[in-house]
Amino acid sequence: MPKTQTASAVTALVLAAAALTGCGSEDGSAPAGDVRGAATPPARAVQNAYRATLAAGTARMTVTSKVVAEGQALTGHGSGVADLAHGASRFDLTSQGTTIEQRVVDGAVYQRPTGARRGAVPGGKTWMKIDLARLGRTGPAGGSRPTDPMEPLRYLKDAGRAHVTRVGDQTLDGTRTTHYRVAVPVSVLARGDAGQEQELRRQLGTDRLPVEVWLDGQGRLRRERVLLTLHPLKQRTPGHGNTRVTSTTEVRLTDFGTDVKVTAPPAADTADVTGRTTGSAGTAQAG
């Protein structure tokens, strides 16, 4: 794979990964020494964290991401707020000097690029819209797609099907947490899409995704780290099957209960590029 092509793909991956999520003790978490997960079976504690985190309603979220491919390292950072209960979010995503404002509302991702990438929006519009439901139906398995920042949290929903190990207690920015390692089945990520599951297995070389989580005294997610080693050209490009892409993404949540209001951009300023994202024919339509 040419380096320019790799750099472009990795940049897209970083910006997509940067759509993900803090730590703190100022919002009602249990004090140091009051970690309640010790007596709870690990798999149940992690699975309960999905409901406990959503029950918090809202939070501030940050993410850091690093992707390494063919000797090139690219980093990304995102920060914003999320309505955990309704799956809406607003983020500023930065990678390699490029910043994108992203909103997720009612199952659609809206992105507003700045600087040199502003011209990427067709029709002279300001915002791009990607309908995640349509993308899921028509997108190619393994193809790049924008990331819903709630996706990592949903990994915990099916923790009952995962192998979970309790690592121990750790204090994060003054908040006592319990650290767990979770091996999430690839089938959870594919969400019933057999083609996507097969593609993930091919690139990962395994049927489980390694995830680490830190839960506070109220059982809420405070930090989540996803480590990936991918072989995107395996079985696809002779002589390049060992090409490796490594990705480390760390999501944090803080300030539970913070005020969050996320709305879709004006339709007149929006171009629907879902068809382009899936590779289907046709031009983008105004949203």
Side-chain angles (χ1 to χ4, degrees):
M1 178 184 291
K3 286 193 175 183
T4 54
Q5 184 178 349
T6 300
S8 176
V10 171
T11 299
L13 178 58
V14 172
L15 287 171
L20 310 176
T21 60
C23 296
S25 59
E26 69 287 342
D27 50 18
S29 61
D34 187 21
V35 176
R36 303 166 195 168
T40 305
R44 182 179 298 174
V46 172
Q47 190 164 20
N48 288 346
Y50 175 78
R51 292 186 292 272
T53 306
L54 262 60
T58 62
R60 293 191 181 278
M61 308 169 76
T62 63
V63 65
T64 56
S65 182
K66 181 177 181 180
V67 179
V68 179
E70 294 189 351
Q72 300 179 79
L74 297 178
T75 59
H77 176 80
S79 61
V81 293
D83 182 336
L84 302 168
H86 298 95
S89 61
R90 183 180 67 251
F91 273 80
D92 288 325
L93 317 173
T94 301
S95 177
Q96 308 304 110
T98 297
T99 299
I100 289 179
E101 180 182 350
Q102 175 171 295
R103 302 179 191 177
V104 178
V105 184
D106 295 332
V109 174
Y110 298 88
Q111 294 183 336
R112 179 168 64 177
T114 62
R117 294 200 64 198
R118 186 169 183 174
V121 184
K125 306 294 184 179
T126 305
W127 291 85
M128 296 183 291
K129 175 184 176 181
I130 303 98
D131 186 322
L132 293 177
R134 287 167 54 202
L135 197 63
R137 291 193 300 267
T138 60
S144 62
R145 54 174 288 159
T147 301
D148 179 350
M150 295 297 293
E151 192 70 20
L153 179 58
R154 294 189 185 106
Y155 297 166
L156 309 185
K157 185 177 181 180
D158 295 305
R161 298 164 55 191
H163 178 73
V164 184
T165 302
R166 184 179 184 276
V167 179
D169 298 338
Q170 185 176 348
T171 300
L172 301 176
D173 297 340
T175 296
R176 190 75 176 276
T177 67
T178 303
H179 178 195
Y180 297 90
R181 289 197 179 98
V182 187
V184 179
V186 167
S187 57
V188 171
L189 280 69
R191 291 178 294 180
D193 186 325
Q196 181 74 10
E197 181 176 346
Q198 182 179 7
E199 179 66 15
L200 287 168
R201 288 176 185 272
R202 180 187 69 80
Q203 292 196 33
L204 289 169
T206 179
D207 62 356
R208 292 186 179 268
L209 175 73
V211 177
E212 295 183 79
V213 298
W214 288 257
L215 310 182
D216 68 14
Q218 296 186 35
R220 303 171 302 191
L221 180 68
R222 288 297 188 130
R223 177 188 292 182
E224 182 172 8
R225 181 183 296 153
V226 181
L227 309 174
L228 293 176
T229 300
L230 302 168
H231 295 85
L233 304 183
K234 184 179 180 180
Q235 301 173 3
R236 295 287 173 83
T237 306
H240 294 276
N242 291 327
T243 298
R244 185 171 69 172
V245 176
T246 61
S247 170
T248 303
T249 301
E250 185 170 288
V251 174
R252 295 190 175 196
L253 289 85
T254 190
D255 293 331
F256 291 111
T258 193
D259 290 337
V260 174
K261 183 178 181 180
V262 185
T263 59
D269 297 335
T270 304
D272 189 332
V273 298
T274 307
R276 295 187 177 195
T277 305
T278 61
S280 60
T283 59
Q285 301 295 319

